[in-house]
């Protein structure tokens, strides 16, 4: 059986430890910022983008990985006699999956997968693919199993500010202004059937009060949460708030591994600072 390479877009937001643990070959998105092209989370960080926005309203543009880049990424593995599983940012959010498929058509044994998700919603699929590969499963088997698992991954986030959504044209400026005045904290839900995003609950108040309510509401939606791995992913949140969320989760679920990760520039540039979400898998 051929060796299987596990690969993913950098938007899966795994920690360096998990990336190393499952030998994940990242390919980074591009960040175009102040007329310069950067490599996501390599030579630019989310904090750089926040600083620029509050300094002079500078906003980045994110660019998906193109077909040629995917070809250059996959080809050495294929030429070495390997198969490749590649997890993409959701096709509803980016052209990356389409581009990966076009590259795969020119090679053999490459299996791009539309995660229908973002951030560590993708990461949940990546680590599970990694475990299947460790079991000796073929790339075709892994791709099939992960495809069936996508609708069981649940991802949501609470935004602290609407400024970045409004600046990027994803929210009317007047809504962002009113939201700031009344301290709105909207929940963003990922539709794991299509990969699109929508608005869930609207919270009000400071994060210290909002986040415990968000955790309680989110976990109460499901009775069959898989307790092996849960992600707390944020775009730059104070450690005491992260610990508050961790405590709230553990008071409700016997989670074996809570992974805390910070979102990449691609994700953070759209949601702004102080965004936090919990991401997990259910049995059905």
């Amino acid at each position: 059986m051929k060796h299987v390479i596990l690969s993913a877009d950098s938007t899966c937001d795994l920690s360096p430890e998990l990336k190393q643990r499952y030998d994940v070959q990242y390919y980074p998105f591009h960040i175009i910022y102040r007329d310069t092209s950067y490599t996501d989370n390599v030579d630019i960080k989310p904090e750089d983008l926040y600083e620029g926005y509050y300094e002079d309203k500078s906003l980045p543009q994110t660019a998906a990985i193109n077909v040629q880049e995917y070809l250059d990424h996959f080809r050495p593995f294929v030429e070495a006699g390997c198969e490749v599983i590649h997890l993409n940012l959701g096709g509803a959010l980016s052209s990356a999956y389409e581009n990966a498929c076009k590259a795969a058509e020119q090679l053999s044994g490459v299996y791009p997968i539309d995660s229908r998700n973002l951030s560590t919603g993708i990461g949940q699929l990546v680590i599970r693919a990694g475990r299947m590969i460790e079991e000796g499963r073929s790339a075709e088997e892994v791709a099939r199993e992960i495809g069936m698992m996508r609708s069981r991954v649940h991802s949501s986030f609470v935004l602290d500010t609407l400024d970045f959504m409004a600046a990027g044209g994803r929210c009317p400026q007047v809504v962002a202004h009113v939201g700031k005045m009344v301290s709105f904290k909207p929940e963003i839900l990922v539709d794991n059937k299509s990969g699109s995003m929508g608005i869930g609950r609207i919270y009000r108040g400071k994060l210290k009060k909002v986040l415990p309510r968000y955790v309680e509401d989110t976990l109460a939606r499901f009775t069959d949460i898989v307790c092996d791995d849960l992600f707390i992913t944020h775009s730059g949140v104070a450690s005491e708030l992260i610990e508050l969320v961790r405590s709230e989760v553990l008071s409700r679920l016997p989670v074996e591994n809570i992974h805390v990760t910070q979102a990449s520039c691609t994700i953070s540039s759209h949601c702004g600072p102080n965004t936090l979400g919990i991401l997990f898998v259910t049995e059905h």
Side-chain angles (χ1 to χ4, degrees):
M1 182 176 292
K2 291 184 177 181
H3 180 64
V4 180
I5 300 295
L6 179 57
S7 176
D9 294 344
S10 60
T11 49
C12 68
D13 292 344
L14 292 180
S15 66
E17 294 77 17
L18 286 172
K19 177 184 173 184
Q20 182 178 18
R21 165 69 180 81
Y22 293 102
D23 195 18
V24 184
Q25 306 298 312
Y26 270 16
Y27 204 102
F29 268 51
H30 305 289
I31 305 295
I32 315 301
Y33 182 61
R34 290 176 170 170
D35 299 321
T36 301
S37 180
Y38 296 93
T39 305
D40 192 354
N41 266 27
V42 175
D43 50 13
I44 190 168
K45 302 296 181 185
E47 292 77 14
D48 301 323
L49 305 181
Y50 303 152
E51 182 179 338
Y53 176 77
Y54 289 120
E55 180 181 293
D56 59 12
K57 301 300 181 184
S58 294
L59 276 179
Q61 291 180 304
T62 58
I65 302 149
N66 64 42
V67 176
Q68 187 60 53
E69 288 172 321
Y70 276 126
L71 278 169
D72 293 342
H73 178 57
F74 297 145
R75 185 177 284 115
F77 301 125
V78 172
E79 290 179 348
C82 300
E83 296 179 304
V84 182
I85 289 285
H86 183 82
L87 276 294
N88 283 108
L89 177 64
L93 305 172
S94 168
S95 62
Y97 172 64
E98 180 182 355
N99 293 343
C101 287
K102 289 178 179 177
E105 289 171 359
Q106 302 179 49
L107 301 167
S108 61
V110 178
Y111 297 82
I113 301 172
D114 181 351
S115 68
R116 298 179 186 169
N117 223 300
L118 53 76
S119 191
T120 48
I122 312 170
Q124 286 280 9
L125 297 173
V126 173
I127 63 175
R128 283 164 168 75
R131 289 168 187 163
M132 293 180 201
I133 291 170
E134 288 178 346
E135 293 169 359
R137 311 276 286 277
S138 70
E140 185 177 5
E141 289 178 297
V142 174
R144 183 172 59 251
E145 291 288 333
I146 293 299
M148 295 171 61
M149 189 180 295
R150 292 177 296 186
S151 62
R152 294 163 42 205
V153 179
H154 304 277
S155 305
S156 62
F157 300 85
V158 171
L159 302 185
D160 184 46
T161 175
L162 291 171
D163 288 348
F164 283 72
M165 297 285 279
R170 297 171 184 83
C171 165
Q173 290 283 353
V174 65
V175 173
H177 179 67
V178 172
K180 185 179 296 185
M181 291 177 61
V182 298
S183 194
F184 275 174
K185 302 285 190 289
E187 176 191 30
I188 304 298
L189 295 172
V190 178
D191 181 341
N192 56 20
K193 303 296 192 299
S194 68
S196 61
M197 294 187 294
I199 300 293
R201 293 177 174 84
I202 302 294
Y203 296 96
R204 290 185 61 181
K206 295 186 179 298
L207 284 176
K208 187 174 183 179
K209 291 186 177 180
V210 166
L211 290 176
R213 298 206 305 272
Y214 158 69
V215 172
E216 180 180 7
D217 291 342
T218 301
L219 299 184
R221 291 189 195 126
F222 306 95
T223 59
D224 60 344
I225 295 174
V226 178
C227 290
D228 55 357
D229 296 279
L230 180 145
F231 283 89
I232 298 172
T233 299
H234 64 94
S235 64
V237 172
S239 58
E240 56 267 27
L241 291 177
I242 295 171
E243 289 307 311
L244 174 63
V245 170
R246 186 200 299 270
S247 296
E248 290 292 331
V249 169
L250 290 175
S251 72
R252 292 170 171 79
L253 284 176
V255 179
E256 296 175 29
N257 300 295
I258 294 182
H259 308 287
V260 177
T261 70
Q262 184 163 356
S264 60
C265 291
T266 301
I267 304 300
S268 297
S269 65
H270 298 309
C271 63
N274 292 318
T275 296
L276 184 144
I278 55 175
L279 305 94
F280 51 86
V281 175
T282 53
E283 294 282 0
H284 303 98

